[in-house]
Amino acid sequence: MNLDVLTIGELLVEFMAKKVDQDFLHPEEFVGPFPSGAPAIFIDQVVKLGLKGGILGCIGEDDFGKNIFDRLEKDGVDISLIKRTKEYITGIAFVTYFSNGERKFIFHLPHSAAGQIYPEYLSDNLIKNIKCLHIMGCSLAINENVKKTIEKAVDLSYKYKKIISFDPNIRIELGLSEEYLRVINYIASKSSIILSGEREILTITQKKDLKSAISYLQNIDTKIIVIKKGKKGAEVYYDNKTYSVKPIKVEEIDPTGAGDCFDAGFIASILEGRSIEESLVRANIIGALSVTKKGPMEGVVDKETLEKFLRY
Ligand code: ATP
Ligand code: MG
């Protein structure tokens, strides 16, 4: 199996609060199940751009598992690394947004099928046949065996000189222990591309300002550092250069998944041989377009839509 991009992590379904400021303390209406999971959204967006992408993950033998599996298969993701288990049900997330911009999650992950990923599933041969490994930090917090699997994939990819890209994608709701910080820093030190939010880059580097965070990462040999700034656009730091892009004006319906689609847009463009600047331009468009649809994976942008947007 030859893959442009391999990712590892949670396949889940998501239920979204129908109204803003809806809490989890009272009976309210939710919309779902939507296919979701940061690595799943990421890899779906990668293949929508015409690259070969696969995900190592696990689903239960239930309709939630079928929901996410069928969607990835239909969109063209290589599903041969998706495992199934009878013992656990598919991962589930509930999310609600507040008018102050905050959001709350409830995740059913560590003891779900999403947690049933093991290092034995990885072989040298598998990693030899990829171009890029992309890791989402949220997956590291699922449980110990998922974390060990990801560490093994990172070590093998490093050994075989593959591109390693990393989005720390911290979900405070999933816990931020010292061990979590250690493994995030370990993966950052092996990555040549880091894509992060403004706030989370300070958390992972334990620095007070962006400048110190960037120079810390450059010192541990990260070649390309991309900072995602939500409705303020994005910027990239590499060599001694900085390049930033203004946000595309869109009507934001649902920001979930924007960062994952953005990551996919950037990585896919780099793998297509585009410059860092052009890759940022493309990722910024994809991130913006992705927020115009409700549902975490519903905003993925296909190649034609992107090319059409670039022509205008
Ligand atoms: P998350 O907190 O969900 O992990 P993230 O930090 O990974 O988010 P965002 O910064 O929310 O990702 O979004 C990624 C990119 O998508 C932004 O840098 C920007 O390019 C684009 N984007 C997101 N929201 C908007 C918006 N409302 N308008 C224009 N562009 C947007
Ligand atoms: Mg993110």
Side-chain angles (χ1 to χ4, degrees):
M1 181 196 355
N2 281 303
L3 290 176
D4 295 312
V5 188
L6 170 69
T7 192
I8 301 173
E10 63 276 24
L11 299 163
L12 53 89
V13 293
E14 186 162 325
F15 292 86
M16 314 176 75
K18 215 165 168 184
K19 295 187 308 241
V20 177
D21 290 327
Q22 193 172 311
D23 61 27
F24 289 135
L25 302 172
H26 309 89
E28 296 272 12
E29 286 181 79
F30 285 81
V31 194
F34 287 105
S36 189
I41 299 166
F42 166 82
I43 207 67
D44 199 72
Q45 178 63 81
V46 165
V47 301
K48 280 281 185 177
L49 293 170
L51 281 84
K52 275 202 239 171
I55 180 164
L56 173 60
C58 184
I59 52 175
E61 294 196 353
D62 48 57
D63 281 353
F64 285 171
K66 188 167 161 49
N67 174 316
I68 171 85
F69 183 91
D70 286 357
R71 173 60 190 274
L72 294 181
E73 187 176 42
K74 176 177 131 269
D75 286 353
V77 173
D78 185 316
I79 39 79
S80 61
L81 294 169
I82 299 181
K83 314 284 176 188
R84 287 168 202 268
T85 172
K86 274 201 178 80
E87 316 280 318
Y88 296 85
I89 62 165
T90 302
I92 305 170
F94 291 86
V95 61
T96 181
Y97 290 85
F98 297 91
S99 33
N100 63 5
E102 276 178 29
R103 52 192 174 173
K104 268 194 174 170
F105 294 98
I106 290 183
F107 289 107
H108 169 59
L109 282 183
H111 304 287
S112 76
Q116 302 306 303
I117 310 173
Y118 296 91
E120 305 85 89
Y121 296 158
L122 290 167
S123 64
D124 286 55
N125 218 17
L126 172 68
I127 301 295
K128 276 184 192 167
N129 290 305
I130 65 169
K131 288 187 184 145
C132 170
L133 173 74
H134 179 77
I135 299 301
M136 290 285 185
C138 50
S139 313
L140 295 161
I142 299 175
N143 64 25
E144 206 46 37
N145 46 280
V146 175
K147 189 180 77 186
K148 290 219 168 83
T149 310
I150 291 174
E151 282 188 287
K152 180 175 175 186
V154 167
D155 288 340
L156 284 174
S157 301
Y158 194 76
K159 175 172 152 195
Y160 292 114
K161 300 192 166 46
K162 304 299 178 180
I163 298 170
I164 302 175
S165 67
F166 181 45
D167 180 343
N169 214 22
I170 296 172
R171 295 280 177 265
I172 291 145
E173 297 80 357
L174 288 178
L176 196 66
S177 62
E178 272 197 16
E179 169 56 13
Y180 190 19
L181 268 180
R182 179 202 67 78
V183 67
I184 281 182
N185 272 277
Y186 178 71
I187 295 175
S189 75
K190 303 274 176 195
S191 303
S192 48
I193 304 176
I194 289 187
L195 308 111
S196 169
E198 284 176 292
R199 249 181 46 207
E200 70 194 353
I201 200 146
L202 303 183
T203 311
I204 65 156
T205 58
Q206 309 262 282
K207 302 286 174 206
K208 291 208 168 53
D209 57 83
L210 188 61
K211 206 170 148 233
S212 337
I214 302 286
S215 57
Y216 167 81
L217 291 172
Q218 282 169 337
N219 278 331
I220 60 168
D221 211 22
T222 310
K223 311 276 184 304
I224 304 173
I225 302 155
V226 181
I227 305 293
K228 297 179 270 181
K229 306 198 300 180
K231 38 172 85 81
K232 291 184 289 162
E235 58 203 28
V236 61
Y237 296 81
Y238 68 100
D239 297 337
N240 277 319
K241 293 177 236 166
T242 311
Y243 179 74
S244 55
V245 281
K246 291 205 175 72
I248 309 292
K249 283 204 177 68
V250 286
E251 192 199 347
E252 184 177 299
I253 308 281
D254 176 10
T256 318
D260 315 325
C261 292
F262 177 102
D263 293 354
F266 189 81
I267 303 299
S269 304
I270 292 286
L271 291 176
E272 283 168 343
R274 300 182 195 282
S275 70
I276 292 173
E277 290 83 354
E278 193 184 355
S279 300
L280 191 73
V281 167
R282 288 174 170 247
N284 187 50
I285 295 170
I286 291 171
L289 294 180
S290 77
V291 306
T292 60
K293 303 246 171 71
K294 186 160 178 90
M297 201 184 279
E298 308 317 302
V300 290
V301 178
D302 59 33
K303 208 181 159 101
E304 294 67 38
T305 309
L306 173 66
E307 298 298 341
K308 209 168 129 198
F309 192 93
L310 282 161
R311 281 200 294 272
Y312 291 105

